[in-house]
Amino acid sequence: MHQTTSHRRRVALIDMGTNTFHLLIVEMPTTPGDKPLVLLRTKAGVRLGEGGISRGVIAPEPYARALHTLAGFKEEMELHEVEEVRATATSAMRVTTNGPDLVRDIFEQTGIQVNVIPGDREAELICEGVRQAVDLGTEPQLITDIGGGSVEFIIANQATIFWKQSFEIGAQRLLDKFFPDPSGIFPAAAVVAEQEYLASVLTPLIEAVHRYQPVGLVGASGSFDSLADMQLGELRTEAQLPPFTELQLASFQDSYRRLLSSNHEQRVALPGILPMRADMLVVAAVLIDYVLGITEIKRIRTSAYALKEGLLAEMLAQ
């Protein structure tokens, strides 16, 4: 007797970033070309880089938070009867001396095998993920993912990656370097210092921008989601985010001014801000403003899809 229901494969994709761990659980299509069914899309603020990344270690508290979060992800995977897991880790696990210990502990405690990927591979996956959310068209776009540990810049259209580079200048590092007192206002001198630092570090980006003349900015990360939430005036969950949002230039500039003129308490109270991101968003906004300044870009789109959706797209193409 023939079995009428074909077996559907359930896959979990985990992106262990320096700020946030993401979990995406999907049911893979049985017909090539069909879209996977999303069963769960969730994230947890782990702040893996807090208190250590600038010194090259994962501090004890974030280390414990990572293990706790992965244990929670494992429960969700069991509930959803997941058969296959693709887990990737990026900057914080790449550059810290005890990153390999955490990879081992995660495997021993949850059975999840974590793949620590280099920055170039991270940039490729981010680009592939963004393409699932935003039609990049034929003209070059500048894709930017501001993580806690690293920042990826990719110049690409829907078909081709023209240039890509990962820089270890993520928001947690910028916070450690330029914003030692998180209770206060971010002083003008700190803004200038961060901009001068970016100008010295991002020379390859400046050259690539001159060469390829990207016409738009596509932001894929929590910082861009937060700016889109500020534009809307409300904090959205992972599940509520559309694939992409148009971020008006005037809205970004207004949010940037408000972030710079607020102290920590006032920033946390701004509509659409996740408390965990309140200070990081300041240094990230300085970075975005700097990038807009070295380009002539007027159009900003935020992509809700990034690395994990890139992994999924690769799996679907196999």
Side-chain angles (χ1 to χ4, degrees), residues 231-269:
Q231 174 176 271
L232 199 63
E234 66 171 275
L235 188 61
R236 293 170 296 178
T237 65
E238 191 89 342
Q240 288 173 315
L241 291 175
F244 77 91
T245 303
E246 289 278 348
L247 180 62
Q248 302 303 323
L249 191 59
S251 168
F252 166 71
Q253 287 164 342
D254 178 56
S255 294
Y256 183 38
R257 277 193 298 272
R258 282 194 288 164
L259 288 164
L260 283 183
S261 61
S262 311
N263 63 23
H264 177 77
E265 297 297 307
Q266 292 165 328
R267 275 193 294 277
V268 170

Side-chain angles (χ1 to χ4, degrees), residues 83-104:
E83 299 162 39
E84 189 180 341
V85 184
R86 297 278 177 101
T88 57
T90 53
S91 176
M93 306 273 266
R94 244 192 330 256
V95 301
T96 49
T97 51
N98 57 344
D101 300 337
L102 183 54
V103 170
R104 187 197 62 233

Side-chain angles (χ1 to χ4, degrees), residues 6-22:
S6 55
H7 177 66
R8 291 184 179 270
R9 186 165 62 116
R10 290 185 169 189
V11 174
L13 301 125
I14 299 172
D15 167 13
M16 297 168 58
T18 302
N19 281 334
T20 310
F21 284 13
H22 298 265

Side-chain angles (χ1 to χ4, degrees), residues 128-273:
E128 198 47 56
V130 166
R131 282 173 173 157
Q132 311 309 308
V134 183
D135 181 1
L136 297 180
T138 55
E139 293 185 282
Q141 304 284 336
L142 175 60
I143 299 168
T144 305
D145 188 313
I146 304 171
S150 63
V151 178
E152 281 65 50
F153 292 103
I154 306 112
I155 298 177
N157 61 17
Q158 198 62 21
T160 310
I161 292 178
F162 302 106
W163 175 88
K164 63 180 189 296
Q165 194 165 333
S166 177
F167 297 85
E168 294 290 344
I169 55 163
Q172 182 68 55
R173 294 177 192 277
L174 294 173
L175 208 55
D176 293 348
K177 199 173 181 70
F178 298 104
F179 205 169
D181 177 17
S183 64
I185 287 171
F186 196 56
V191 177
V192 172
E194 184 182 334
Q195 287 170 333
E196 286 174 351
Y197 171 71
L198 294 170
S200 68
V201 175
L202 295 178
T203 317
L205 173 68
I206 296 166
E207 289 167 359
V209 159
H210 283 303
R211 183 172 175 190
Y212 296 105
Q213 304 283 315
V215 296
L217 176 64
V218 182
S221 68
S223 297
F224 284 99
D225 291 339
S226 294
L227 289 163
D229 284 349
M230 284 180 79
Q231 174 176 271
L232 199 63
E234 66 171 275
L235 188 61
R236 293 170 296 178
T237 65
E238 191 89 342
Q240 288 173 315
L241 291 175
F244 77 91
T245 303
E246 289 278 348
L247 180 62
Q248 302 303 323
L249 191 59
S251 168
F252 166 71
Q253 287 164 342
D254 178 56
S255 294
Y256 183 38
R257 277 193 298 272
R258 282 194 288 164
L259 288 164
L260 283 183
S261 61
S262 311
N263 63 23
H264 177 77
E265 297 297 307
Q266 292 165 328
R267 275 193 294 277
V268 170
L270 290 171
I273 287 208

